[in-house]
Structure formats: structure tokens, C-alpha cells
Amino acid sequence: MTHCVGFQLADEAATVQMGNQLAMLMEQGAVIYLHGDLGAGKTTLTRGVIQGFGHQGKVKSPTYTLVEPYELTTANVYHFDLYRLGDPEELEYMGIRDYFSPTAICVVEWPEKGGEFIPAPDLDITLRYVGDARAVEIQSISPRGHSIVDKLKNHSE
């Protein structure tokens, strides 16, 4: 059974804050899929997650490198952007499976391009435009994801 929660995000700061909140609720590793049109806020949400784990510097989308690692004191966070991936098999050559450890946080933009080379998500997140704002829908897929969504629901009430 999946759990689902949705929020309206007024601006970029609210999107970053949602990422911070997600980071605070993760007790161990997680695989997070991000869906949405170009510019919908996937990298902005990811920046919030990464900063929520203590990263101070810039967070850029790894559009050309496919993965940007953030090895922080509280967690290893790996930001994947598969938008420009030509063939999912390329992921096997880059050692994709090494990134997905039980304690790593793996945030994957454009996961549909990864095929069977990436594991199923704990959270499946969709961002979309609503005028100048964004709507985010967070769906849990696994027991770990259910726990995060339940905490997020309780935290926002």
C-alpha cells in the first residue's frame, strides 16, 4: 500500500525548505525518484535535501556527468540526473550499483531513463507547475518511504 501527500510550494525557497524537511525525516538511506518537466524544481528540491544533510556549497545538476557525489559527515548523498543518458547500459559501465548502498541517499532526476539499472524508489516525487508556484506530490513505495511520508504528514499537521 502506498502513502501519498501533496503540498503547494510558493517559490524556490519553499521548494528548498521541502527538501530540508525531507532530509530531516530520513533516518537512513533512501532512493528518491524525481519527476517533472524541465524547470519544475527537481534540482531545487535536491539542493534542499543535500543542504539538509549539511552541505554548504553550491548544488549543480549533474546533467553531463550523470552523478554528483556529496560525501558529508551525516550521509553520503548522490544526485543523479539521467536526462542526457543515451542508453541505460551506460549506467552499468559507470558502476551505478556501487552508489546505491543501504545507507546512501540517492536522488534520481529522470529515473525512467535508467531502466532496470536503478533500484526501485522509496519515494516517488512529482513536481509540477501551478501558475508561478509548484505543486509537489510525494508517494511512498517501500516501508522506508511509508515511514518518511507518515512523519511528513505528522510534521505538517
Side-chain angles (χ1 to χ4, degrees):
M1 185 174 111
T2 62
H3 295 70
C4 192
V5 64
F7 298 96
Q8 295 294 319
L9 306 173
D11 53 22
E12 182 176 340
T15 306
V16 170
Q17 180 57 37
M18 174 57 66
N20 288 169
Q21 199 173 359
L22 284 169
M24 288 184 339
L25 300 175
M26 289 182 215
E27 294 173 5
Q28 52 191 355
V31 176
I32 302 168
Y33 283 8
L34 296 180
H35 305 278
D37 293 334
L38 287 171
K42 296 179 298 295
T43 298
T44 303
L45 182 73
T46 302
R47 181 171 65 222
V49 170
I50 293 167
Q51 290 173 346
F53 282 104
H55 180 70
Q56 299 295 316
K58 287 193 178 284
V59 172
K60 62 184 190 303
S61 184
T63 304
Y64 294 98
T65 57
L66 298 181
V67 63
E68 190 68 39
Y70 297 87
E71 295 179 356
L72 308 168
T73 54
T74 55
N76 288 335
V77 183
Y78 301 103
H79 178 197
F80 296 88
D81 183 340
L82 305 183
Y83 181 71
R84 296 200 180 275
L85 185 67
D87 181 342
E89 258 185 54
E90 291 175 41
L91 296 173
E92 194 66 30
Y93 301 129
M94 69 177 265
I96 188 92
R97 296 177 203 279
D98 296 341
Y99 293 99
F100 289 90
S101 75
T103 58
I105 308 295
C106 294
V107 182
V108 185
E109 295 186 40
W110 305 98
E112 59 278 3
K113 296 187 176 256
E116 74 273 5
F117 293 96
I118 56 175
D122 296 300
L123 296 175
D124 202 27
I125 300 176
T126 301
L127 291 125
R128 59 184 169 76
Y129 296 101
V130 178
D132 291 335
R134 302 285 186 274
V136 61
E137 181 181 283
I138 303 170
Q139 185 174 8
S140 66
I141 306 298
S142 71
R144 182 184 288 177
H146 298 337
S147 171
I148 295 166
V149 167
D150 287 345
K151 287 184 222 166
L152 194 56
K153 283 180 182 176
N154 293 334
H155 198 262
S156 64
E157 290 175 353

